[in-house]
Amino acid sequence: MARVTLTQFLIEQQRSAQHIPADLRLLIEVVARAVKVISVHVGKGAVAGLLGSADSENVQGEVQKKLDVITNELLLQANEWGGHLAAMASEEMEEPFPIPNRYPKGEYLLVFDPLDGSSNIDVNVSVGTIFSVLHCPEGVTDPTAEAFLQPGSRQVAAGYAIYGPATNLVLTVGTGVHGFTLDREFGAWVLTHSDIRIPEDTKEFAINASRSRFWEAPVKRYVDELMAGRDGPREQDFNMRWVASMVADVHRILARGGIFMYPMDEKNRANGGHLRLLYEANPMAFIVEQAGGAASTGHQRILDVQPKGLHQRVPVVLGSKNEVERVVRYHAEPAAR
Ligand code: F6P
């Protein structure tokens, strides 16, 4: 059977289904090309001297890894000149990056986490790149942070790449979720997982359980019930997984179901949660919903949250629908608070 490449897939989406305009197709192809280059850098590991910290901090006060800095630059350089963007924003930059005046400007905004889970890079565990695409608001010619503060429901595309044993690119333009695998010999993205669906039920959960003493009552109740397994109210055993790399944990959920939680707790309450809304929670929530799953803060659909800041954080509960709905129900029950 003939292989379908990313380019063919996007042209097909543009041509027959008219889901994506030419500029959006270009944008996705440019991001996918940059991701290939990132995959090469990540794959070199210690040989290229790229591991370790960069002796700098990002806007969140986190120590930047050398690869955080390099991957951010790669995405900026790849996307600044094509004429498809009005501005970019990134986890690694306090303010948005305006498209230089020497290049034409387009109608989209691109926001990304260039290397998610980068604490894993030095131990050779999967990391990834997450991105989200929004329309630049009408009439805005020099977008500031304000232009990016749109609810996730307005995303026109979102995706992530995972740099694992294989490199995958998982994408949605609002017509389901499709996964591509990088054929390293040919340098091509090949469609390997079309129309990915997350099972509604699951026996697998992902949470950083070392924070259990800080959890709120509804999360504690939910996890206690899972841990009680066959002998508890759920009357079945559950398995726990935690990669500490959101892309890897979400990728597993897309592959075989599961629930992922980074909830609000006593320790992260002052920050509003742990994960970033615009370039972590929103793109993943869009992907998960498009695959038939659900994504909530515990109280509200993530895609409905009105952002107040570029680097805002939110609590995240996402994955198999019936489990996410149960966690939301526990949050709503007064007795459990
Ligand atoms: O923001 C980042 C992130 O690294 C996610 O990719 C991951 O899910 C989470 O933080 C890991 O958090 P912790 O260090 O608490 O396990």
Side-chain angles (χ1 to χ4, degrees):
M1 207 172 70
R3 306 200 307 177
V4 175
T5 64
L6 177 68
T7 303
Q8 284 170 300
F9 172 84
L10 291 173
I11 288 176
E12 190 60 28
Q13 290 274 316
Q14 182 189 342
R15 201 186 273 157
S16 67
Q18 306 214 321
H19 292 309
I20 47 173
D23 266 11
L24 182 56
R25 174 165 70 81
L26 174 65
L27 191 168
I28 294 168
E29 290 211 68
V30 170
V31 170
R33 250 197 316 271
V35 159
K36 270 190 221 172
V37 179
I38 294 175
S39 167
V40 171
H41 283 282
V42 169
K44 282 194 198 305
V47 173
L50 298 178
L51 301 188
S53 85
D55 298 324
S56 55
E57 283 188 354
N58 68 12
V59 52
Q60 351 267 340
E62 296 162 344
V63 175
Q64 287 179 305
K65 299 279 182 189
K66 285 182 197 156
L67 275 169
D68 282 323
V69 178
I70 291 168
T71 52
N72 191 56
E73 274 305 310
L74 281 169
L75 280 161
L76 293 177
Q77 282 168 14
N79 282 285
E80 67 178 359
W81 55 271
H84 49 283
L85 287 178
M88 288 179 259
S90 157
E91 178 184 22
E92 304 302 331
M93 304 180 302
E94 184 150 12
E95 294 297 330
F97 175 92
I99 297 301
N101 284 334
R102 60 184 182 280
Y103 300 124
K105 285 188 190 160
E107 58 173 297
Y108 294 107
L109 300 174
L110 175 65
V111 51
F112 49 80
D113 178 353
L115 202 64
D116 180 67
S118 58
S119 66
N120 277 324
I121 195 75
D122 293 346
V123 290
N124 200 16
V125 170
S126 297
V127 289
T129 297
I130 311 175
F131 67 95
S132 157
V133 183
L134 296 159
H135 276 295
C136 185
E138 203 125 313
V140 174
T141 46
D142 293 304
T144 58
E146 179 109 39
F148 289 83
L149 304 185
Q150 308 180 35
S153 54
R154 298 226 198 112
Q155 292 170 102
V156 293
Y160 68 81
I162 177 166
Y163 313 109
T167 295
N168 291 123
L169 180 69
V170 174
L171 187 68
T172 186
V173 292
T175 57
V177 179
H178 307 283
F180 301 82
T181 302
L182 182 59
D183 182 330
R184 291 187 170 125
E185 280 168 55
F186 292 95
W189 290 110
V190 181
L191 180 63
T192 46
H193 302 76
S194 45
D195 204 13
I196 298 171
R197 303 300 294 170
I198 299 175
E200 292 192 350
D201 293 299
T202 179
K203 290 183 178 176
E204 211 160 61
F205 67 105
I207 191 164
N208 181 347
S210 69
R211 301 175 71 95
S212 62
R213 68 188 187 284
F214 308 118
W215 289 343
E216 294 179 337
V219 173
K220 198 162 169 21
R221 172 186 172 193
Y222 176 71
V223 177
D224 281 351
E225 288 180 6
L226 302 185
M227 300 283 260
R230 207 181 282 271
D231 302 328
R234 303 293 306 268
E235 297 177 342
Q236 58 171 346
D237 291 335
F238 288 82
N239 217 348
M240 191 174 84
R241 292 285 180 269
W242 185 251
V243 184
S245 186
M246 189 191 197
V247 275
D249 281 311
V250 171
H251 196 66
R252 184 186 60 255
I253 289 172
L254 285 162
R256 63 181 192 213
I259 179 167
F260 168 94
M261 287 172 281
Y262 214 121
M264 179 81 87
D265 64 31
E266 283 313 317
K267 223 176 158 189
N268 64 33
R269 187 184 310 284
N271 292 330
H274 176 71
L275 297 170
R276 271 50 66 106
L277 175 60
L278 289 186
Y279 40 83
E280 291 178 323
N282 270 346
M284 291 310 201
F286 188 21
I287 291 167
V288 164
E289 281 199 6
Q290 282 292 314
S296 169
T297 64
H299 297 280
Q300 184 186 12
R301 181 179 175 234
I302 286 175
L303 295 182
D304 288 339
V305 174
Q306 173 59 51
K308 296 193 182 72
L310 204 51
H311 301 285
Q312 177 179 342
R313 297 174 192 253
V314 277
V316 173
V317 179
L318 60 76
S320 290
K321 206 170 180 183
N322 290 339
E323 291 302 309
V324 174
E325 283 174 0
R326 179 183 285 267
V327 176
V328 171
R329 217 163 52 235
Y330 287 5
H331 278 83
E333 285 174 15
R337 285 177 190 197

